[in-house]
Structures are given as structure tokens and as C-alpha cells.
Amino acid sequence: YYTLKNMDYKSTRQTAVQRTFYHLRDEGVLDYKKLVVLGIGEGAYLAPSLATMFEADSAVMINGGPFSEMIEIERAAQDGVDDTEAEFFDRVLRISKQKDLLRAVENVRQGRADAFALGPHMNKYWLTYNAAITAHDYQHMPGHAVWIFFDKYPLHKAQNEQYIRSLSGMRKEGSSEQIILPGTGNISESEVQQRLAEKLLEILDN
């Protein structure tokens, strides 16, 4: 028997991606000289571990961070919710008020049976509410790491940039860079898509 607090969908997602990758490679669908693992949002928290598994040359993490999405949501709720953050949480979680967000986070932290979902999405959507932080996977990741943040993305904190720099200095191998782009980080916005596409092409060309 597992309580909700012990449920971990991060490893399940990793395994699913891993099996798909090896299947496509063995079937000859994937043919590459260099491998780049790219993760956006939820995928960014998986990218470091997947890059290690696949022995990738590089990993690109977009709208991710060194902790977990649940921790970032909790921090945002505690720091206060401005208009941009309110729009984000209303769109993603159907929660727009700080007090409601704090209550929802606390309910999930307590493992309440009626708090299996944070907003309209089940635990699976956020990988897991109690996932191990990404920092450990990142420290052991080989190759080049690129972190792309949007300056108005609600789950991005300036402290994360400093922490990633510290983690990068402790990595045994590999290099890293951080790129800050203007915008909300909402991938559905055409302006954000254009900026991101231009930057990714620049990265891949190098």
C-alpha cells in the first residue's frame, strides 16, 4: 500500500521515454551523430537524467529549474501572486488567488485523499508532488547543459540561476550556460515561440 505522498510518477515517465528512445534507435528510426535532449516545462525536469541515460552530447532545459515543479509552485504561492502569475496559475491549475493556491499546496503536502489533483490535473501532470530535486541528476550529467529561462515565467526565480551556477561548478565533467529570454514563457504565444526557435537554432548550429 502506498500513500499519495509516496507516489512517484517521475521514474515512470523516465522509463517510458527510455523505452521509446531505445525502440526507435533499434528500429533505425533514429540516426544521429550528436544527441541533444530537449525538455520544456515538465520535460525540463527529466532532461538531465535522460541525458545521462542516453549519453547525450547536450541537454537543453526550458522553463525548468534545479528543484521540482511542486517546490516552485509552493515558493510562488508563498512569495505572493502578481497579475502575470495569477494568469499562469489560472490557466494551468484553474487557481488564481494566492490563498487558494496556498491551501491547495498544503492539502497536497499533507497527502489528503481529496487532494490527489492540484487544480484540474492529476499528480501525473506534475511528475510527482514529492519528486527528488533535479539538482542531483544535473550534477552527474555529462556533456553540455543549456538552461533557458524567460524573465517573466512565474516559476522562474533569480535564486535558481545562482544555484545552477554553483551546481555547474561542482560537476565533474561537462560545461553549461544559462540564457535569459524576455517574455512570459507561455509556449502557446507566437512571440515566445519565435524567440525560442531562434535561440534553439543558434544553439544547435553551434
Side-chain angles (χ1 to χ4, degrees), residues 69-112:
E69 281 188 299
M70 183 57 184
I71 290 176
E72 300 298 356
I73 292 171
E74 190 171 25
R75 291 167 69 189
Q78 292 171 346
D79 292 345
V81 179
D82 60 23
D83 291 342
T84 301
E85 292 169 335
E87 187 278 330
F88 171 82
F89 288 119
D90 185 48
R91 173 169 51 83
V92 176
L93 300 177
R94 302 294 186 266
I95 301 173
S96 58
K97 295 182 179 179
Q98 181 184 9
K99 64 178 182 178
D100 295 333
L101 185 60
L102 283 169
R103 185 183 303 112
V105 168
E106 181 59 27
N107 288 344
V108 171
R109 283 293 186 203
Q110 293 176 358
R112 283 178 47 177

Side-chain angles (χ1 to χ4, degrees), residues 7-127:
M7 300 181 81
D8 182 0
Y9 291 101
K10 185 174 182 179
S11 59
T12 303
R13 293 289 180 93
Q14 287 172 329
T15 301
V17 175
Q18 188 178 16
R19 288 177 177 172
T20 301
F21 173 81
Y22 290 137
H23 172 73
L24 294 175
R25 188 191 63 181
D26 295 343
E27 291 294 316
V29 177
L30 297 179
D31 183 17
Y32 55 87
K33 293 182 179 179
K34 287 190 175 182
L35 178 63
V36 178
V37 173
L38 186 151
I40 301 176
E42 177 183 329
Y45 293 87
L46 290 174
S49 59
L50 291 173
T52 301
M53 290 179 189
F54 301 151
E55 299 181 337
D57 298 280
S58 304
V60 180
M61 284 71 70
I62 303 166
N63 286 348
F67 301 107
S68 69
E69 281 188 299
M70 183 57 184
I71 290 176
E72 300 298 356
I73 292 171
E74 190 171 25
R75 291 167 69 189
Q78 292 171 346
D79 292 345
V81 179
D82 60 23
D83 291 342
T84 301
E85 292 169 335
E87 187 278 330
F88 171 82
F89 288 119
D90 185 48
R91 173 169 51 83
V92 176
L93 300 177
R94 302 294 186 266
I95 301 173
S96 58
K97 295 182 179 179
Q98 181 184 9
K99 64 178 182 178
D100 295 333
L101 185 60
L102 283 169
R103 185 183 303 112
V105 168
E106 181 59 27
N107 288 344
V108 171
R109 283 293 186 203
Q110 293 176 358
R112 283 178 47 177
D114 60 346
F116 184 68
L118 182 62
H121 301 291
M122 291 194 307
N123 192 321
K124 294 180 181 179
Y125 183 83
W126 295 106
L127 300 178

